[in-house]
Amino acid sequence: MSITIAVAGNPNSGKTTLFNALTGSNQYVGNWPGVTVEKKEGILIGHPEVVLVDLPGIYSLSTNSLEEELARDYLLESNPDAIINIVDGTNLERNLYLTTQLAELGIPMVLAVNMMDEVEKSGAKIDGAALGNAFGVQVVEISALRETQIDELARIATQAAQKKGHFLPLHRFSGGVEHALGHIEEVALHQQPEHKQRWYAVKLFERNELVEAELSLSAELKAHIEQDIRQCELEYD
């Protein structure tokens, strides 16, 4: 049984170092289809049935750049069995913006909090259990550079991927926003797979033009959704 796991994270989060630690020399380098952006795949050490795909380093899935578009399209269309999301433990707030968007996709995910050696050196602490509960995922505290907890991360990610299923995201916004997202799902997204509806709803709420075009929304439907958005803007100033 073949398993595919995507490795995603911000630039400078240690993603390449982690990918190398997980795959060793079992890597294949090519390009993403139709572009010159490098694409790396590798076999997880000790697991010949597990293929890791190294996504471009990105800050979000809002497709403001070619790299973001490639990562977004791969996650939505290729449906990997799981995601390893690596975040910089010394800069969590910035990194967790992408984590939130990845969790909205409904793909099983493991959160790898990197640079824990630097976090501990600074005297800071990260509540991994609370972090995992917030997103509904397992958290592994690692140091990609020192290869600390890499085997544990590989084990948990493989287990998550073997379930071959999807989950409904746990992350929730304020009540008015949640009401708007629910309404957008109901009126515009009922034909989409259930686990993708929330991601699309959030993007429509953000007025993402690429998603609007992809879904071929009518002018009437877009105007209806715009009413929900403006109501939230008024409510939250």
PDB file of all heavy atoms in Angstrom, residues 69-106:
ATOM      1  N   GLU A  69       0.462  28.864  -4.985  1.00  0.00           N
ATOM      2  CA  GLU A  69      -0.483  28.234  -5.912  1.00  0.00           C
ATOM      3  C   GLU A  69      -0.143  26.759  -6.119  1.00  0.00           C
ATOM      4  O   GLU A  69      -1.038  25.906  -6.137  1.00  0.00           O
ATOM      5  CB  GLU A  69      -0.471  28.967  -7.253  1.00  0.00           C
ATOM      6  CG  GLU A  69      -1.502  28.440  -8.233  1.00  0.00           C
ATOM      7  CD  GLU A  69      -1.562  29.243  -9.505  1.00  0.00           C
ATOM      8  OE1 GLU A  69      -0.902  30.293  -9.595  1.00  0.00           O
ATOM      9  OE2 GLU A  69      -2.271  28.809 -10.439  1.00  0.00           O
ATOM     10  N   LEU A  70       1.145  26.445  -6.254  1.00  0.00           N
ATOM     11  CA  LEU A  70       1.562  25.056  -6.442  1.00  0.00           C
ATOM     12  C   LEU A  70       1.198  24.209  -5.228  1.00  0.00           C
ATOM     13  O   LEU A  70       0.681  23.092  -5.364  1.00  0.00           O
ATOM     14  CB  LEU A  70       3.081  24.989  -6.693  1.00  0.00           C
ATOM     15  CG  LEU A  70       3.580  25.536  -8.033  1.00  0.00           C
ATOM     16  CD1 LEU A  70       5.099  25.622  -8.032  1.00  0.00           C
ATOM     17  CD2 LEU A  70       3.092  24.659  -9.175  1.00  0.00           C
ATOM     18  N   ALA A  71       1.487  24.739  -4.030  1.00  0.00           N
ATOM     19  CA  ALA A  71       1.184  23.990  -2.805  1.00  0.00           C
ATOM     20  C   ALA A  71      -0.316  23.800  -2.647  1.00  0.00           C
ATOM     21  O   ALA A  71      -0.787  22.698  -2.318  1.00  0.00           O
ATOM     22  CB  ALA A  71       1.759  24.733  -1.593  1.00  0.00           C
ATOM     23  N   ARG A  72      -1.082  24.857  -2.875  1.00  0.00           N
ATOM     24  CA  ARG A  72      -2.530  24.788  -2.750  1.00  0.00           C
ATOM     25  C   ARG A  72      -3.112  23.761  -3.709  1.00  0.00           C
ATOM     26  O   ARG A  72      -3.925  22.915  -3.324  1.00  0.00           O
ATOM     27  CB  ARG A  72      -3.125  26.172  -3.029  1.00  0.00           C
ATOM     28  CG  ARG A  72      -4.632  26.189  -3.209  1.00  0.00           C
ATOM     29  CD  ARG A  72      -5.057  27.492  -3.871  1.00  0.00           C
ATOM     30  NE  ARG A  72      -6.476  27.497  -4.189  1.00  0.00           N
ATOM     31  CZ  ARG A  72      -7.026  26.950  -5.249  1.00  0.00           C
ATOM     32  NH1 ARG A  72      -6.276  26.300  -6.117  1.00  0.00           N
ATOM     33  NH2 ARG A  72      -8.325  27.024  -5.465  1.00  0.00           N
ATOM     34  N   ASP A  73      -2.710  23.842  -4.985  1.00  0.00           N
ATOM     35  CA  ASP A  73      -3.257  22.925  -5.981  1.00  0.00           C
ATOM     36  C   ASP A  73      -2.897  21.474  -5.669  1.00  0.00           C
ATOM     37  O   ASP A  73      -3.721  20.572  -5.845  1.00  0.00           O
ATOM     38  CB  ASP A  73      -2.757  23.302  -7.376  1.00  0.00           C
ATOM     39  CG  ASP A  73      -3.386  24.583  -7.902  1.00  0.00           C
ATOM     40  OD1 ASP A  73      -4.357  25.062  -7.275  1.00  0.00           O
ATOM     41  OD2 ASP A  73      -2.904  25.110  -8.915  1.00  0.00           O
ATOM     42  N   TYR A  74      -1.673  21.261  -5.199  1.00  0.00           N
ATOM     43  CA  TYR A  74      -1.272  19.893  -4.872  1.00  0.00           C
ATOM     44  C   TYR A  74      -2.134  19.339  -3.738  1.00  0.00           C
ATOM     45  O   TYR A  74      -2.638  18.217  -3.805  1.00  0.00           O
ATOM     46  CB  TYR A  74       0.208  19.840  -4.471  1.00  0.00           C
ATOM     47  CG  TYR A  74       0.613  18.449  -4.020  1.00  0.00           C
ATOM     48  CD1 TYR A  74       0.911  17.462  -4.951  1.00  0.00           C
ATOM     49  CD2 TYR A  74       0.655  18.118  -2.669  1.00  0.00           C
ATOM     50  CE1 TYR A  74       1.243  16.179  -4.553  1.00  0.00           C
ATOM     51  CE2 TYR A  74       0.985  16.831  -2.263  1.00  0.00           C
ATOM     52  CZ  TYR A  74       1.275  15.878  -3.209  1.00  0.00           C
ATOM     53  OH  TYR A  74       1.581  14.604  -2.806  1.00  0.00           O
ATOM     54  N   LEU A  75      -2.323  20.124  -2.686  1.00  0.00           N
ATOM     55  CA  LEU A  75      -3.079  19.644  -1.530  1.00  0.00           C
ATOM     56  C   LEU A  75      -4.544  19.414  -1.862  1.00  0.00           C
ATOM     57  O   LEU A  75      -5.161  18.465  -1.371  1.00  0.00           O
ATOM     58  CB  LEU A  75      -2.940  20.647  -0.377  1.00  0.00           C
ATOM     59  CG  LEU A  75      -1.543  20.737   0.246  1.00  0.00           C
ATOM     60  CD1 LEU A  75      -1.456  21.930   1.187  1.00  0.00           C
ATOM     61  CD2 LEU A  75      -1.188  19.456   0.981  1.00  0.00           C
ATOM     62  N   LEU A  76      -5.113  20.269  -2.715  1.00  0.00           N
ATOM     63  CA  LEU A  76      -6.527  20.138  -3.052  1.00  0.00           C
ATOM     64  C   LEU A  76      -6.794  19.040  -4.080  1.00  0.00           C
ATOM     65  O   LEU A  76      -7.811  18.355  -4.019  1.00  0.00           O
ATOM     66  CB  LEU A  76      -7.068  21.465  -3.573  1.00  0.00           C
ATOM     67  CG  LEU A  76      -7.361  22.548  -2.542  1.00  0.00           C
ATOM     68  CD1 LEU A  76      -7.722  23.854  -3.236  1.00  0.00           C
ATOM     69  CD2 LEU A  76      -8.471  22.120  -1.599  1.00  0.00           C
ATOM     70  N   GLU A  77      -5.871  18.877  -5.019  1.00  0.00           N
ATOM     71  CA  GLU A  77      -6.125  17.973  -6.138  1.00  0.00           C
ATOM     72  C   GLU A  77      -5.486  16.597  -5.974  1.00  0.00           C
ATOM     73  O   GLU A  77      -6.058  15.598  -6.414  1.00  0.00           O
ATOM     74  CB  GLU A  77      -5.637  18.629  -7.434  1.00  0.00           C
ATOM     75  CG  GLU A  77      -6.394  19.913  -7.783  1.00  0.00           C
ATOM     76  CD  GLU A  77      -5.773  20.670  -8.943  1.00  0.00           C
ATOM     77  OE1 GLU A  77      -4.841  20.114  -9.581  1.00  0.00           O
ATOM     78  OE2 GLU A  77      -6.203  21.811  -9.200  1.00  0.00           O
ATOM     79  N   SER A  78      -4.310  16.536  -5.373  1.00  0.00           N
ATOM     80  CA  SER A  78      -3.615  15.245  -5.239  1.00  0.00           C
ATOM     81  C   SER A  78      -4.022  14.485  -3.989  1.00  0.00           C
ATOM     82  O   SER A  78      -3.760  13.294  -3.878  1.00  0.00           O
ATOM     83  CB  SER A  78      -2.096  15.467  -5.254  1.00  0.00           C
ATOM     84  OG  SER A  78      -1.683  16.009  -6.490  1.00  0.00           O
ATOM     85  N   ASN A  79      -4.639  15.174  -3.035  1.00  0.00           N
ATOM     86  CA  ASN A  79      -5.156  14.531  -1.822  1.00  0.00           C
ATOM     87  C   ASN A  79      -4.132  13.613  -1.144  1.00  0.00           C
ATOM     88  O   ASN A  79      -4.328  12.400  -1.072  1.00  0.00           O
ATOM     89  CB  ASN A  79      -6.418  13.726  -2.148  1.00  0.00           C
ATOM     90  CG  ASN A  79      -7.584  14.606  -2.531  1.00  0.00           C
ATOM     91  OD1 ASN A  79      -7.885  15.570  -1.840  1.00  0.00           O
ATOM     92  ND2 ASN A  79      -8.234  14.285  -3.638  1.00  0.00           N
ATOM     93  N   PRO A  80      -3.020  14.168  -0.647  1.00  0.00           N
ATOM     94  CA  PRO A  80      -2.072  13.329   0.093  1.00  0.00           C
ATOM     95  C   PRO A  80      -2.749  12.702   1.306  1.00  0.00           C
ATOM     96  O   PRO A  80      -3.772  13.197   1.786  1.00  0.00           O
ATOM     97  CB  PRO A  80      -0.977  14.318   0.510  1.00  0.00           C
ATOM     98  CG  PRO A  80      -1.649  15.650   0.503  1.00  0.00           C
ATOM     99  CD  PRO A  80      -2.652  15.592  -0.612  1.00  0.00           C
ATOM    100  N   ASP A  81      -2.182  11.608   1.789  1.00  0.00           N
ATOM    101  CA  ASP A  81      -2.791  10.884   2.910  1.00  0.00           C
ATOM    102  C   ASP A  81      -2.596  11.610   4.236  1.00  0.00           C
ATOM    103  O   ASP A  81      -3.358  11.384   5.189  1.00  0.00           O
ATOM    104  CB  ASP A  81      -2.203   9.478   2.995  1.00  0.00           C
ATOM    105  CG  ASP A  81      -2.482   8.674   1.733  1.00  0.00           C
ATOM    106  OD1 ASP A  81      -3.659   8.464   1.427  1.00  0.00           O
ATOM    107  OD2 ASP A  81      -1.513   8.283   1.050  1.00  0.00           O
ATOM    108  N   ALA A  82      -1.584  12.457   4.310  1.00  0.00           N
ATOM    109  CA  ALA A  82      -1.333  13.214   5.547  1.00  0.00           C
ATOM    110  C   ALA A  82      -0.417  14.392   5.225  1.00  0.00           C
ATOM    111  O   ALA A  82       0.191  14.461   4.149  1.00  0.00           O
ATOM    112  CB  ALA A  82      -0.709  12.331   6.623  1.00  0.00           C
ATOM    113  N   ILE A  83      -0.339  15.302   6.180  1.00  0.00           N
ATOM    114  CA  ILE A  83       0.565  16.456   6.087  1.00  0.00           C
ATOM    115  C   ILE A  83       1.436  16.500   7.329  1.00  0.00           C
ATOM    116  O   ILE A  83       0.935  16.340   8.451  1.00  0.00           O
ATOM    117  CB  ILE A  83      -0.218  17.783   5.996  1.00  0.00           C
ATOM    118  CG1 ILE A  83      -1.107  17.817   4.758  1.00  0.00           C
ATOM    119  CG2 ILE A  83       0.735  18.980   5.992  1.00  0.00           C
ATOM    120  CD1 ILE A  83      -2.066  19.008   4.744  1.00  0.00           C
ATOM    121  N   ILE A  84       2.728  16.685   7.139  1.00  0.00           N
ATOM    122  CA  ILE A  84       3.605  17.078   8.241  1.00  0.00           C
ATOM    123  C   ILE A  84       3.795  18.583   8.115  1.00  0.00           C
ATOM    124  O   ILE A  84       4.368  19.070   7.142  1.00  0.00           O
ATOM    125  CB  ILE A  84       4.976  16.378   8.185  1.00  0.00           C
ATOM    126  CG1 ILE A  84       4.833  14.876   8.409  1.00  0.00           C
ATOM    127  CG2 ILE A  84       5.922  16.971   9.238  1.00  0.00           C
ATOM    128  CD1 ILE A  84       6.144  14.108   8.245  1.00  0.00           C
ATOM    129  N   ASN A  85       3.270  19.317   9.075  1.00  0.00           N
ATOM    130  CA  ASN A  85       3.417  20.770   9.069  1.00  0.00           C
ATOM    131  C   ASN A  85       4.494  21.146  10.073  1.00  0.00           C
ATOM    132  O   ASN A  85       4.323  20.987  11.274  1.00  0.00           O
ATOM    133  CB  ASN A  85       2.095  21.438   9.425  1.00  0.00           C
ATOM    134  CG  ASN A  85       2.203  22.944   9.607  1.00  0.00           C
ATOM    135  OD1 ASN A  85       1.520  23.529  10.427  1.00  0.00           O
ATOM    136  ND2 ASN A  85       3.074  23.596   8.838  1.00  0.00           N
ATOM    137  N   ILE A  86       5.622  21.630   9.575  1.00  0.00           N
ATOM    138  CA  ILE A  86       6.714  22.035  10.451  1.00  0.00           C
ATOM    139  C   ILE A  86       6.592  23.520  10.743  1.00  0.00           C
ATOM    140  O   ILE A  86       6.366  24.331   9.841  1.00  0.00           O
ATOM    141  CB  ILE A  86       8.094  21.706   9.831  1.00  0.00           C
ATOM    142  CG1 ILE A  86       9.216  22.139  10.778  1.00  0.00           C
ATOM    143  CG2 ILE A  86       8.253  22.282   8.432  1.00  0.00           C
ATOM    144  CD1 ILE A  86      10.595  21.651  10.368  1.00  0.00           C
ATOM    145  N   VAL A  87       6.687  23.868  12.016  1.00  0.00           N
ATOM    146  CA  VAL A  87       6.611  25.273  12.431  1.00  0.00           C
ATOM    147  C   VAL A  87       7.831  25.606  13.281  1.00  0.00           C
ATOM    148  O   VAL A  87       8.386  24.749  13.975  1.00  0.00           O
ATOM    149  CB  VAL A  87       5.322  25.568  13.226  1.00  0.00           C
ATOM    150  CG1 VAL A  87       4.095  25.310  12.374  1.00  0.00           C
ATOM    151  CG2 VAL A  87       5.253  24.743  14.507  1.00  0.00           C
ATOM    152  N   ASP A  88       8.255  26.848  13.214  1.00  0.00           N
ATOM    153  CA  ASP A  88       9.379  27.341  14.001  1.00  0.00           C
ATOM    154  C   ASP A  88       8.893  27.649  15.412  1.00  0.00           C
ATOM    155  O   ASP A  88       8.106  28.574  15.615  1.00  0.00           O
ATOM    156  CB  ASP A  88       9.948  28.589  13.321  1.00  0.00           C
ATOM    157  CG  ASP A  88      11.087  29.232  14.093  1.00  0.00           C
ATOM    158  OD1 ASP A  88      11.442  28.734  15.184  1.00  0.00           O
ATOM    159  OD2 ASP A  88      11.632  30.248  13.603  1.00  0.00           O
ATOM    160  N   GLY A  89       9.354  26.866  16.372  1.00  0.00           N
ATOM    161  CA  GLY A  89       8.914  27.045  17.756  1.00  0.00           C
ATOM    162  C   GLY A  89       9.315  28.371  18.356  1.00  0.00           C
ATOM    163  O   GLY A  89       8.722  28.812  19.348  1.00  0.00           O
ATOM    164  N   THR A  90      10.306  29.062  17.769  1.00  0.00           N
ATOM    165  CA  THR A  90      10.721  30.369  18.282  1.00  0.00           C
ATOM    166  C   THR A  90       9.901  31.499  17.681  1.00  0.00           C
ATOM    167  O   THR A  90      10.069  32.659  18.052  1.00  0.00           O
ATOM    168  CB  THR A  90      12.217  30.631  17.991  1.00  0.00           C
ATOM    169  OG1 THR A  90      12.404  30.777  16.570  1.00  0.00           O
ATOM    170  CG2 THR A  90      13.081  29.487  18.495  1.00  0.00           C
ATOM    171  N   ASN A  91       9.004  31.158  16.740  1.00  0.00           N
ATOM    172  CA  ASN A  91       8.197  32.176  16.063  1.00  0.00           C
ATOM    173  C   ASN A  91       6.820  31.599  15.747  1.00  0.00           C
ATOM    174  O   ASN A  91       6.358  31.625  14.609  1.00  0.00           O
ATOM    175  CB  ASN A  91       8.897  32.615  14.775  1.00  0.00           C
ATOM    176  CG  ASN A  91       8.346  33.908  14.207  1.00  0.00           C
ATOM    177  OD1 ASN A  91       7.464  34.532  14.804  1.00  0.00           O
ATOM    178  ND2 ASN A  91       8.837  34.295  13.055  1.00  0.00           N
ATOM    179  N   LEU A  92       6.157  31.107  16.788  1.00  0.00           N
ATOM    180  CA  LEU A  92       4.925  30.348  16.595  1.00  0.00           C
ATOM    181  C   LEU A  92       3.807  31.174  15.968  1.00  0.00           C
ATOM    182  O   LEU A  92       3.107  30.697  15.080  1.00  0.00           O
ATOM    183  CB  LEU A  92       4.433  29.787  17.933  1.00  0.00           C
ATOM    184  CG  LEU A  92       4.855  28.376  18.313  1.00  0.00           C
ATOM    185  CD1 LEU A  92       4.174  27.968  19.608  1.00  0.00           C
ATOM    186  CD2 LEU A  92       4.532  27.382  17.205  1.00  0.00           C
ATOM    187  N   GLU A  93       3.618  32.391  16.438  1.00  0.00           N
ATOM    188  CA  GLU A  93       2.458  33.162  15.991  1.00  0.00           C
ATOM    189  C   GLU A  93       2.442  33.304  14.472  1.00  0.00           C
ATOM    190  O   GLU A  93       1.412  33.114  13.826  1.00  0.00           O
ATOM    191  CB  GLU A  93       2.446  34.539  16.649  1.00  0.00           C
ATOM    192  CG  GLU A  93       1.213  35.357  16.276  1.00  0.00           C
ATOM    193  CD  GLU A  93       1.142  36.669  17.048  1.00  0.00           C
ATOM    194  OE1 GLU A  93       2.028  36.933  17.860  1.00  0.00           O
ATOM    195  OE2 GLU A  93       0.181  37.426  16.813  1.00  0.00           O
ATOM    196  N   ARG A  94       3.579  33.629  13.900  1.00  0.00           N
ATOM    197  CA  ARG A  94       3.646  33.802  12.443  1.00  0.00           C
ATOM    198  C   ARG A  94       3.426  32.474  11.727  1.00  0.00           C
ATOM    199  O   ARG A  94       2.718  32.401  10.725  1.00  0.00           O
ATOM    200  CB  ARG A  94       4.995  34.392  12.056  1.00  0.00           C
ATOM    201  CG  ARG A  94       5.128  34.656  10.556  1.00  0.00           C
ATOM    202  CD  ARG A  94       6.449  35.317  10.241  1.00  0.00           C
ATOM    203  NE  ARG A  94       6.503  35.757   8.850  1.00  0.00           N
ATOM    204  CZ  ARG A  94       7.522  36.405   8.314  1.00  0.00           C
ATOM    205  NH1 ARG A  94       8.570  36.708   9.058  1.00  0.00           N
ATOM    206  NH2 ARG A  94       7.509  36.769   7.041  1.00  0.00           N
ATOM    207  N   ASN A  95       4.011  31.418  12.242  1.00  0.00           N
ATOM    208  CA  ASN A  95       3.937  30.119  11.573  1.00  0.00           C
ATOM    209  C   ASN A  95       2.548  29.494  11.631  1.00  0.00           C
ATOM    210  O   ASN A  95       2.142  28.771  10.724  1.00  0.00           O
ATOM    211  CB  ASN A  95       4.953  29.155  12.189  1.00  0.00           C
ATOM    212  CG  ASN A  95       6.370  29.377  11.697  1.00  0.00           C
ATOM    213  OD1 ASN A  95       7.004  28.481  11.158  1.00  0.00           O
ATOM    214  ND2 ASN A  95       6.903  30.572  11.891  1.00  0.00           N
ATOM    215  N   LEU A  96       1.801  29.744  12.694  1.00  0.00           N
ATOM    216  CA  LEU A  96       0.507  29.078  12.878  1.00  0.00           C
ATOM    217  C   LEU A  96      -0.583  29.618  11.951  1.00  0.00           C
ATOM    218  O   LEU A  96      -1.656  29.017  11.852  1.00  0.00           O
ATOM    219  CB  LEU A  96       0.050  29.180  14.337  1.00  0.00           C
ATOM    220  CG  LEU A  96       0.861  28.329  15.324  1.00  0.00           C
ATOM    221  CD1 LEU A  96       0.368  28.554  16.753  1.00  0.00           C
ATOM    222  CD2 LEU A  96       0.792  26.857  14.970  1.00  0.00           C
ATOM    223  N   TYR A  97      -0.316  30.717  11.255  1.00  0.00           N
ATOM    224  CA  TYR A  97      -1.280  31.191  10.256  1.00  0.00           C
ATOM    225  C   TYR A  97      -1.440  30.124   9.157  1.00  0.00           C
ATOM    226  O   TYR A  97      -2.554  29.772   8.772  1.00  0.00           O
ATOM    227  CB  TYR A  97      -0.813  32.509   9.668  1.00  0.00           C
ATOM    228  CG  TYR A  97      -1.723  33.050   8.586  1.00  0.00           C
ATOM    229  CD1 TYR A  97      -3.068  33.298   8.838  1.00  0.00           C
ATOM    230  CD2 TYR A  97      -1.233  33.319   7.308  1.00  0.00           C
ATOM    231  CE1 TYR A  97      -3.907  33.792   7.840  1.00  0.00           C
ATOM    232  CE2 TYR A  97      -2.070  33.813   6.317  1.00  0.00           C
ATOM    233  CZ  TYR A  97      -3.392  34.046   6.586  1.00  0.00           C
ATOM    234  OH  TYR A  97      -4.219  34.528   5.605  1.00  0.00           O
ATOM    235  N   LEU A  98      -0.327  29.595   8.663  1.00  0.00           N
ATOM    236  CA  LEU A  98      -0.380  28.526   7.664  1.00  0.00           C
ATOM    237  C   LEU A  98      -0.987  27.263   8.269  1.00  0.00           C
ATOM    238  O   LEU A  98      -1.780  26.579   7.615  1.00  0.00           O
ATOM    239  CB  LEU A  98       1.015  28.228   7.122  1.00  0.00           C
ATOM    240  CG  LEU A  98       1.114  27.047   6.145  1.00  0.00           C
ATOM    241  CD1 LEU A  98       0.279  27.294   4.896  1.00  0.00           C
ATOM    242  CD2 LEU A  98       2.574  26.783   5.771  1.00  0.00           C
ATOM    243  N   THR A  99      -0.655  26.962   9.503  1.00  0.00           N
ATOM    244  CA  THR A  99      -1.200  25.778  10.177  1.00  0.00           C
ATOM    245  C   THR A  99      -2.723  25.801  10.181  1.00  0.00           C
ATOM    246  O   THR A  99      -3.386  24.802   9.909  1.00  0.00           O
ATOM    247  CB  THR A  99      -0.684  25.698  11.623  1.00  0.00           C
ATOM    248  OG1 THR A  99       0.742  25.676  11.623  1.00  0.00           O
ATOM    249  CG2 THR A  99      -1.201  24.444  12.325  1.00  0.00           C
ATOM    250  N   THR A 100      -3.283  26.969  10.478  1.00  0.00           N
ATOM    251  CA  THR A 100      -4.738  27.118  10.492  1.00  0.00           C
ATOM    252  C   THR A 100      -5.329  26.779   9.126  1.00  0.00           C
ATOM    253  O   THR A 100      -6.318  26.055   9.020  1.00  0.00           O
ATOM    254  CB  THR A 100      -5.119  28.555  10.884  1.00  0.00           C
ATOM    255  OG1 THR A 100      -4.590  28.839  12.179  1.00  0.00           O
ATOM    256  CG2 THR A 100      -6.625  28.727  10.921  1.00  0.00           C
ATOM    257  N   GLN A 101      -4.705  27.281   8.078  1.00  0.00           N
ATOM    258  CA  GLN A 101      -5.213  27.030   6.727  1.00  0.00           C
ATOM    259  C   GLN A 101      -5.063  25.562   6.340  1.00  0.00           C
ATOM    260  O   GLN A 101      -5.949  24.986   5.700  1.00  0.00           O
ATOM    261  CB  GLN A 101      -4.481  27.918   5.729  1.00  0.00           C
ATOM    262  CG  GLN A 101      -4.753  29.399   5.938  1.00  0.00           C
ATOM    263  CD  GLN A 101      -4.191  30.252   4.828  1.00  0.00           C
ATOM    264  OE1 GLN A 101      -3.215  29.899   4.186  1.00  0.00           O
ATOM    265  NE2 GLN A 101      -4.815  31.388   4.588  1.00  0.00           N
ATOM    266  N   LEU A 102      -3.957  24.947   6.720  1.00  0.00           N
ATOM    267  CA  LEU A 102      -3.763  23.523   6.420  1.00  0.00           C
ATOM    268  C   LEU A 102      -4.803  22.674   7.151  1.00  0.00           C
ATOM    269  O   LEU A 102      -5.341  21.715   6.599  1.00  0.00           O
ATOM    270  CB  LEU A 102      -2.347  23.087   6.823  1.00  0.00           C
ATOM    271  CG  LEU A 102      -1.197  23.680   6.004  1.00  0.00           C
ATOM    272  CD1 LEU A 102       0.146  23.317   6.652  1.00  0.00           C
ATOM    273  CD2 LEU A 102      -1.229  23.193   4.562  1.00  0.00           C
ATOM    274  N   ALA A 103      -5.091  23.033   8.395  1.00  0.00           N
ATOM    275  CA  ALA A 103      -6.066  22.265   9.171  1.00  0.00           C
ATOM    276  C   ALA A 103      -7.455  22.345   8.558  1.00  0.00           C
ATOM    277  O   ALA A 103      -8.245  21.407   8.676  1.00  0.00           O
ATOM    278  CB  ALA A 103      -6.096  22.759  10.618  1.00  0.00           C
ATOM    279  N   GLU A 104      -7.752  23.465   7.902  1.00  0.00           N
ATOM    280  CA  GLU A 104      -9.069  23.641   7.289  1.00  0.00           C
ATOM    281  C   GLU A 104      -9.285  22.718   6.093  1.00  0.00           C
ATOM    282  O   GLU A 104     -10.414  22.542   5.632  1.00  0.00           O
ATOM    283  CB  GLU A 104      -9.257  25.105   6.875  1.00  0.00           C
ATOM    284  CG  GLU A 104      -9.482  26.029   8.064  1.00  0.00           C
ATOM    285  CD  GLU A 104      -9.253  27.496   7.738  1.00  0.00           C
ATOM    286  OE1 GLU A 104      -8.837  27.798   6.604  1.00  0.00           O
ATOM    287  OE2 GLU A 104      -9.475  28.332   8.633  1.00  0.00           O
ATOM    288  N   LEU A 105      -8.211  22.113   5.577  1.00  0.00           N
ATOM    289  CA  LEU A 105      -8.333  21.221   4.421  1.00  0.00           C
ATOM    290  C   LEU A 105      -8.920  19.866   4.785  1.00  0.00           C
ATOM    291  O   LEU A 105      -9.349  19.115   3.906  1.00  0.00           O
ATOM    292  CB  LEU A 105      -6.960  21.012   3.776  1.00  0.00           C
ATOM    293  CG  LEU A 105      -6.362  22.223   3.040  1.00  0.00           C
ATOM    294  CD1 LEU A 105      -4.896  21.972   2.739  1.00  0.00           C
ATOM    295  CD2 LEU A 105      -7.131  22.506   1.766  1.00  0.00           C
ATOM    296  N   GLY A 106      -8.910  19.522   6.075  1.00  0.00           N
ATOM    297  CA  GLY A 106      -9.469  18.241   6.495  1.00  0.00           C
ATOM    298  C   GLY A 106      -8.562  17.046   6.242  1.00  0.00           C
ATOM    299  O   GLY A 106      -8.993  15.902   6.361  1.00  0.00           O
TER     300      GLY A 106
END
